Amino acid sequence: MRTAKQTITETFIYLLTEQAFEDLSVKDIVSYAGISRSTFYLHFTDKYELMDAVRSQVNGRFLQIYNEPSDAETINLKICQHVFRYRSFYRQEFSDAGRIHELTRRFADELEPVFGDEDLAVFAGWGTIGYLASWVKSGFAMGPQEAADKLMKILFTDWTANLADTRERSG
């Protein structure tokens, strides 16, 4: 059985598909959830605290994916499926450069032990989040599997070979 807090959170995430965060009110949330305002305020002081709780939960799950034992292909697919599942949240999240920066910093911190190199973790973090933000901005023009496949292609591209080819053609 879902708790009132889970109901509020799930309703909030759903309502983000219907309207922008700025336009969403506590009244909208409680009305759709079928709960009283006092129940909402028992758990959250306002919609901003609710957004922070959802951000912590959803981004926390995103960051956990890299800590699960798996190969890179499966991890990338899980990440793309996660972003797609919470697409209404990520549409909001990736429309804010500050939020992108914060998630990227946290993601790079998670990647550092995986890569064993801070610079590579920062590069991979920014590249991955940038790619995902672009996918979100496109309105999810492709499905999670295709997005994961393209992310894998980027990950395993030999950039030095591409750079050498470019120099030969221009030189």
Side-chain angles (χ1 to χ4, degrees), residues 60-72 74-75 78-79 110 114:
R61 176 66 191 117
F62 175 89
L63 296 170
Q64 274 182 328
I65 293 171
Y66 262 88
N67 293 320
E68 297 170 0
S70 197
D71 59 43
T74 303
I75 288 171
K78 285 181 178 182
I79 283 174
E110 290 293 320
V114 173

Side-chain angles (χ1 to χ4, degrees), residues 14-131:
Y14 171 75
L15 288 175
L16 285 174
T17 65
E18 303 289 314
Q19 54 190 308
F21 174 75
E22 297 78 24
D23 300 331
L24 197 56
S25 68
V26 171
K27 182 180 178 183
D28 297 329
I29 297 165
V30 299
S31 175
Y32 193 87
I35 60 169
S36 67
R37 289 176 74 90
S38 60
T39 300
F40 178 91
Y41 290 118
L42 233 125
H43 299 285
F44 303 101
T45 56
D46 56 25
K47 72 177 189 175
Y48 299 97
E49 184 180 352
L50 173 56
M51 177 56 115
D52 288 343
V54 168
R55 180 175 290 118
S56 177
Q57 176 188 339
V58 174
N59 284 343
R61 176 66 191 117
F62 175 89
L63 296 170
Q64 274 182 328
I65 293 171
Y66 262 88
N67 293 320
E68 297 170 0
S70 197
D71 59 43
E73 192 169 342
T74 303
I75 288 171
N76 281 333
L77 178 57
K78 285 181 178 182
I79 283 174
C80 290
Q81 288 171 333
H82 169 83
V83 170
F84 189 75
R85 177 178 180 203
Y86 294 104
R87 58 192 170 272
S88 62
F89 167 78
Y90 283 107
R91 273 190 199 107
Q92 178 71 38
E93 195 76 347
F94 288 161
S95 68
D96 181 328
R99 295 290 171 202
I100 292 172
H101 180 80
E102 175 61 22
L103 181 58
T104 301
R105 186 194 57 73
R106 291 180 60 206
F107 189 47
D109 289 346
E110 290 293 320
L111 291 176
E112 189 171 347
V114 173
F115 289 115
D117 182 284
E118 181 182 0
D119 295 330
L120 186 54
V122 167
F123 182 79
W126 278 99
T128 301
I129 299 295
Y131 178 81

Side-chain angles (χ1 to χ4, degrees), residues 158-171:
D158 180 356
W159 298 103
T160 58
N162 288 350
L163 184 58
D165 290 346
T166 303
R167 287 184 178 157
E168 281 179 23
R169 285 191 301 253
S170 65

